[in-house]
Amino acid sequence: MDITGHSSDFITDQSFLAAMKRFTLRQAQRWPGLFLDGERVTAESIRDWELPENPEDDYSNIVTFSESQNMEDFWEDRGYALNDHGEGPFSVLYKHYPGALHAHQVTGVQIADPEDSAAVEGTSLLLSEYFAVSLVTPEDPKTDPFSGNILRDFLDAFSRSTDPGVPGGTMN
């Protein structure tokens, strides 16, 4: 399968590990027949799931999401595309970087409280380690409702409020 969809790219800290679990649990709620990396899973089995990572791999790791075996087959034939129901397979590519990241100036800050945004805007960023992450959706989240919902779920997973069974999570 080729990576042909729309990529939304992020740099995250170690919270990515717990956020990814929250995101995956949300997808199991969206699609009760969720296929994760080509295998059917349930919300219960995801609670024990760990994000795969191969530290010796020079390439990104990937987690794939699809609704069913039919969508898995659709993906093989059509790639990242919407089906007749306006939904499609998507994935998260990621790579862990154990070294430091320093950005000289943070711009475009989006935080719920405008005062907090103003306090961060223009500052430097320093992380001791980080993840480079790409959420690949079938279409541009700005124009496609399904892809927009997937992106929103991904961003919401970092709020630590989507699942009580995941470290840092509480039920809304």
Side-chain angles (χ1 to χ4, degrees):
M1 106 186 48
D2 293 325
I3 308 299
T4 59
H6 184 276
S7 182
S8 299
D9 302 320
F10 304 92
I11 297 295
T12 74
D13 60 12
Q14 283 291 348
S15 66
F16 172 69
L17 300 170
M20 190 63 185
K21 191 163 217 176
R22 288 188 292 272
F23 175 70
T24 303
L25 281 165
R26 174 64 184 104
Q27 301 324 300
Q29 292 171 349
R30 172 189 307 281
W31 288 333
L34 177 66
F35 272 60
L36 186 63
D37 293 330
E39 301 289 327
R40 189 176 187 296
V41 295
T42 62
E44 295 77 33
S45 66
I46 292 172
R47 292 194 188 280
D48 296 327
W49 174 76
E50 295 291 328
L51 190 66
E53 185 170 359
N54 180 358
E56 293 154 15
D57 188 354
D58 288 337
Y59 299 97
S60 295
N61 293 284
I62 184 170
V63 178
T64 61
F65 297 82
S66 59
E67 175 193 26
S68 62
Q69 184 63 56
N70 285 345
M71 189 175 282
E72 283 285 312
D73 297 341
F74 177 85
W75 195 343
E76 288 296 326
D77 294 339
R78 295 192 175 155
Y80 288 76
L82 298 174
N83 62 18
D84 294 339
H85 303 290
E87 297 183 338
F90 56 93
S91 62
V92 175
L93 288 78
Y94 62 97
K95 182 167 173 116
H96 177 243
Y97 291 89
L101 176 141
H102 179 219
H104 294 282
Q105 187 173 25
V106 177
T107 62
V109 176
Q110 296 177 353
I111 302 175
D113 184 344
E115 284 186 30
D116 291 342
S117 293
V120 174
E121 187 75 29
T123 64
S124 293
L125 174 69
L126 181 59
L127 299 174
S128 60
E129 58 184 292
Y130 61 97
F131 285 85
V133 180
S134 293
L135 173 66
V136 181
T137 53
E139 300 289 334
D140 185 341
K142 293 177 186 168
T143 58
D144 171 56
F146 174 76
S147 298
N149 286 335
I150 297 301
L151 176 58
R152 199 167 15 267
D153 285 351
F154 185 77
L155 296 173
D156 287 350
F158 284 86
S159 72
R160 300 181 183 191
S161 63
T162 56
D163 182 72
V166 176
T170 58
M171 193 56 88
N172 285 339

